[in-house]
Amino acid sequence: MKFVVTAGPTREPIDPVRFLSNRSSGKMGYAIAEAALESDHDVVLISGPVNLAPPAGAKLVKVITSDDMHDAVHEEVRACDVLVMCAAVADYKPARVAKAKIKKGDEIFSLDLIPARDILKSLPRFRNFFVVGFAAETNDVEEHARAKLATKNCDMIVANDLSDPTIGMESDENAVTIFSRNGEIEKISRASKKIIAHALVKIICAKAKKVLTKNF
Ligand code: CTP
């Protein structure tokens, strides 16, 4: 199968030397890309700025902003079977990017932010590729994950519970719950991101084969 995997954070520029971003390390997305390659799938890895070596054998598309990632995803999904949106894409970006460095002052300073484009929501409603979203939640994981499955029109949502600071973002370990469009729920208990990634690729392929009207 042809996988497109997104990973890492995005950076939303404020001025030439500053940006808004988040703590995503890219480890989960890179592990999924590696696991898919090890299972003999083709992989395009669309990556925000991270400190990780790209997996050998993947086509690497480097992006910085949420707009770059949006455009790269739309380009690459044209020839894919599975999209895994593991990236921590910005929800907001500065309304204006200052051309020169913003100088400091003594007053309270505020930035106007506008919503960034939601990449999952921007995908065509009817398509012939399987879409896996992620949900990073600190509370009411099941409720939020199910809501994202519906509003983002995903085939599957992989939920991370961020209330445990020893797993998930930045960590080498994770534990996830998978919510599928058909109502099925599967849990992968705490393990290295490498092990979780292999389990996820297996589950994704099995479900994608059932849903897609293609021969593999
Ligand atoms: N996502 C996206 N485009 C965005 C933001 C997020 O496609 N601009 C995708 C992520 O890659 C992930 C899913 O949406 O697969 C859920 O991301 P998450 O950060 O959990 O949720 P948000 O949509 O950002 O909502 P909230 O922050 O309110 O939980």
Side-chain angles (χ1 to χ4, degrees):
M1 288 191 181
K2 289 184 179 152
F3 274 66
V4 173
V5 181
T6 70
T10 62
R11 288 181 182 170
E12 310 304 320
I14 296 169
D15 70 11
V17 296
R18 302 182 179 97
F19 54 80
L20 291 175
S21 193
N22 59 64
R23 286 170 42 199
S24 169
S25 63
K27 285 176 187 168
M28 193 67 241
Y30 275 56
I32 292 169
E34 248 158 49
L37 285 163
E38 284 166 16
S39 302
D40 287 332
H41 300 292
D42 290 335
V43 176
V44 177
L45 176 59
I46 302 174
S47 177
V50 296
N51 289 315
L52 298 171
K59 172 182 168 186
L60 179 67
V61 180
K62 288 187 184 180
V63 297
I64 306 281
T65 66
S66 56
D67 284 328
D68 296 341
M69 190 168 279
H70 170 280
D71 294 349
V73 167
H74 278 267
E75 176 66 30
E76 298 296 339
V77 292
R78 292 196 288 174
C80 90
D81 302 310
V82 175
L83 168 67
V84 183
M85 277 297 300
C86 195
V89 188
D91 290 337
Y92 293 95
K93 62 180 187 175
R96 291 165 295 280
V97 181
K99 285 205 173 64
K101 186 182 169 207
I102 299 169
K103 301 305 276 180
K104 75 173 168 224
D106 297 328
E107 303 291 307
I108 288 178
F109 176 80
S110 52
L111 274 176
D112 287 335
L113 302 178
I114 55 172
R117 284 186 287 184
D118 190 303
I119 300 173
L120 281 173
K121 282 189 186 167
S122 73
L123 295 171
R125 188 138 197 96
F126 301 102
R127 61 220 172 190
N128 207 8
F129 55 93
F130 191 81
V131 176
V132 181
F134 273 67
E137 308 297 345
T138 55
N139 56 288
D140 304 309
V141 177
E142 176 159 357
E143 188 189 331
H144 290 307
R146 284 191 188 285
K148 282 177 188 168
L149 187 65
T151 57
K152 292 178 183 256
N153 188 32
C154 293
D155 296 294
M156 183 192 276
I157 284 277
V158 180
N160 283 310
D161 185 349
L162 299 185
S163 64
D164 180 347
T166 66
I167 54 172
M169 268 198 170
E170 295 181 304
S171 164
D172 288 328
E173 293 195 322
N174 210 353
V176 299
T177 310
I178 300 160
F179 299 88
S180 293
R181 207 197 269 281
N182 63 5
E184 283 172 9
I185 300 179
E186 282 158 278
K187 276 185 191 291
I188 308 177
S189 48
R190 186 177 181 141
S192 70
K193 286 185 174 173
K194 198 177 158 67
I195 289 174
I196 303 248
H198 274 279
L200 275 176
V201 166
K202 226 172 163 183
I203 292 170
I204 290 167
C205 284
K207 289 202 190 286
K209 278 181 189 157
K210 281 192 196 156
V211 169
L212 298 176
T213 54
K214 297 179 188 176
N215 290 322
F216 292 104

